[in-house]
Amino acid sequence: RERLAEAVERLDGVTRERFLRDIYPRRKPVVLTGMELGTCTTKWTVDYLSQAEGSKDVKIHVSAVPQMDFLSKNFVYRTLPFDVFVRRAAEVKHKEYFLTEDEKYYLRSVGEDARKDIADIRKQFPILAEDVHIPEYFEKEQFFSSVFRISSAGLQLWTHYDVMDNFLIQVTGKKRVVLYSPRDAPYLYLSGTKSEVLDVDNPDLEKYPLFVKAKRYECFLEAGDVLFIPALWFHNVISEEFGVALNVFWKHLPAESYDKTDTYGNKDPMAASRAIQILDRALKTLEELPEEYRDFYARRMVLRIQEKAYRNDDG
């Protein structure tokens, strides 16, 4: 049941000026190629990575299955020295392992205190940071985080959205990324910022019948490719090979719009959180009415939301 997908546009040698003028305002994903990223794309071999940052401990996700599910938490957190982790993540079969000999590993760098500090490669991996030239296609004060990621071959991350714009910089290895527009949220069976549909290639359509209505966009990233993922676009990432990537998040909205406790760039903006709380209270109030009335006034509320808040263009 391979689903037809629209290929994400690929553009070569895009300058900062052209990106901000022509591409950014469209609010659609695009793969930027031929960008100046520094020596990381050639230098970051398994040998170099494992000796560059030594044996400091890193907290990693370990999964016995390729499809990691954040909702059912089908993975465990473990700690390994960075050099040991890199070598293990690059293996297909492991002599030493936590769960199974073909378990998958995933590192998503975090700040010193994950609850308070954001990920910043310059602070957590300063030696590797020297090899990277981050394309700053945004103002300095908009910068939010730079997240260093390493994935085993075959690992698939759950479909989710972030509330900030970001560049996914593929440094080494290959990834396949499947994306869905924010407009298709009604078909993605959301639980918070995440979709319950894990297997986007062979979805369980008895359980998720509306998923067929979601329009699928797809791209393949190779070393040196940069994918622009606009805020609120859903993405599902599969590492076709062992690979290293760097995400750079920046604030698209005024700084005060964001939740101050957000260290990952995925907590809903303050106004959105307040609106959802108010809606929950409104729905609770409707429960005081008999079903026939509840249904009628709920439909009226939906109409009000559509009139007031839905965009009516096809952008």
Side-chain angles (χ1 to χ4, degrees), residues 24 27 118 141-146 160-167 228-233 235 247-255 257-269:
Y24 194 55
R27 311 297 300 154
I118 53 128
E141 61 275 12
Q142 288 179 284
F143 171 84
F144 176 71
S145 65
S146 51
H160 67 284
Y161 70 87
D162 301 296
V163 300
M164 294 183 195
D165 291 338
N166 86 83
F167 279 152
F228 168 52
I229 306 176
L232 309 182
W233 272 77
H235 44 288
N247 270 107
V248 183
F249 290 87
W250 69 92
K251 296 175 180 179
H252 166 57
L253 307 176
S257 306
Y258 299 100
D259 188 324
K260 296 282 182 288
T261 66
D262 187 3
T263 56
Y264 284 81
N266 63 4
K267 285 193 178 176
D268 291 318

Side-chain angles (χ1 to χ4, degrees), residues 86-150:
V86 170
R87 294 197 176 281
R88 277 217 214 165
E91 299 169 344
V92 177
K93 286 265 190 277
H94 313 293
K95 288 191 178 65
E96 292 184 49
Y97 50 85
F98 297 107
L99 307 171
T100 65
E101 63 175 11
D102 52 2
E103 65 194 13
K104 306 292 183 192
Y105 297 95
Y106 172 56
L107 167 71
R108 185 238 186 253
S109 67
V110 291
E112 310 319 310
D113 179 338
R115 286 186 300 268
K116 293 184 194 153
D117 304 320
I118 53 128
D120 186 339
I121 190 173
R122 293 166 298 190
K123 292 179 183 163
Q124 286 98 44
F125 297 92
I127 295 160
L128 294 176
E130 289 174 17
D131 302 334
V132 185
H133 173 74
I134 291 173
E136 292 196 3
Y137 283 26
F138 47 87
E139 299 302 323
K140 283 253 189 292
E141 61 275 12
Q142 288 179 284
F143 171 84
F144 176 71
S145 65
S146 51
V147 182
F148 182 65
R149 300 179 192 269
I150 296 182

Side-chain angles (χ1 to χ4, degrees), residues 61-70 74-75 99-100 102-106 151-158 198-199 236-239:
H61 301 67
V62 182
S63 176
V65 294
Q67 282 175 333
M68 277 175 58
D69 178 1
F70 198 83
N74 67 347
F75 52 85
L99 307 171
T100 65
D102 52 2
E103 65 194 13
K104 306 292 183 192
Y105 297 95
Y106 172 56
S151 306
S152 292
L155 184 81
Q156 182 169 12
L157 288 181
W158 55 90
L198 278 190
D199 190 342
N236 179 291
V237 181
I238 298 139
S239 296

